[in-house]
Amino acid sequence: MVNHQDETRTAYDGVVELYASLFANRLETQPFSRAMIGTFAELVRATGNPRAADVGCGPGHLTAMLHELGLDAFGLDLAPGMVDHARQAHPALRFQEARMESLPIEDAALGGVLAHYSMIHTPPGELPELLTEQVRVLAPDGLLLVSFFGTDGQEPVRFDHKVAPAYSWPVDLLAELLGDAGLNPFARLLHDPASDRGFLDAHLLARRS
């Protein structure tokens, strides 16, 4: 049986060049997202452990941004086509194919994990396990920045994302899941609807307990 990871990987492998052309410079017009990533990088540097994973890195543009912000950043992605593109676009950086629920990283090794709209395709019932894996690789006081589509409802909402099925989340509910996984959510940013569906752009910044 084909699972959602296989479907997502196949879908993203089919749009590598288009996706890269659309998103490689997108943060130039998204000051709030850019500010949150900058804050994340500053706080990771302050831990004394600059090693950071861009989990679900896609074409690698945010991995490069984290590197420019002073982190020892590397990228991981489910789709081999995205990894190949990232390696060609950013040959000085490290990229590897990997699943978010089974990261090729030792325990407590990282100062930070960036998950920029990369958890949105995970069915709600599987998200706690995925978050536990992100916590596993974070050192004490390490930081996780999760960006996602936010909704005003009480439950996650499945919708037809342009690449693969995805979910928007009530911000309080996702913050609760972060807490259950062993993280302390301490900052959040919500801003204008990200699409004509009316979802918010949402960012949660959390620290490993």
Side-chain angles (χ1 to χ4, degrees), residues 9-153:
R9 180 179 60 239
T10 299
Y12 274 95
D13 270 343
V15 296
V16 172
E17 297 304 324
L18 175 61
Y19 188 92
S21 68
L22 291 174
F23 289 93
N25 299 314
R26 187 172 182 182
L27 286 195
E28 292 180 1
T29 61
Q30 294 188 332
F32 294 116
S33 294
R34 195 167 63 246
M36 284 298 284
I37 293 173
T39 300
F40 165 78
E42 180 178 348
L43 293 175
V44 171
R45 292 196 309 270
T47 70
N49 179 358
R51 191 177 177 206
D54 179 8
V55 181
C57 66
H61 55 298
L62 295 185
T63 315
M65 182 179 178
L66 294 178
H67 175 74
E68 292 169 359
L69 290 170
L71 299 186
D72 177 15
F74 60 97
L76 303 171
D77 201 274
L78 177 68
M82 288 291 184
V83 172
D84 289 343
H85 179 96
R87 286 171 174 166
Q88 293 176 31
H90 309 284
L93 301 179
R94 295 164 289 148
F95 297 95
Q96 183 178 345
E97 185 180 348
R99 293 177 180 263
M100 294 184 74
E101 72 276 11
S102 181
L103 299 173
I105 303 169
E106 60 272 27
D107 293 352
L110 303 182
V113 171
L114 175 66
H116 189 78
Y117 294 92
S118 54
M119 296 185 180
I120 63 172
H121 302 294
T122 302
E126 298 180 23
L127 194 61
E129 178 184 0
L130 188 150
L131 291 172
T132 297
E133 179 68 354
Q134 317 310 301
V135 173
R136 179 188 68 80
V137 302
L138 281 172
D141 294 327
L143 294 121
L144 172 67
L145 175 58
V146 181
S147 299
F148 57 100
F149 296 109
T151 181
D152 291 329

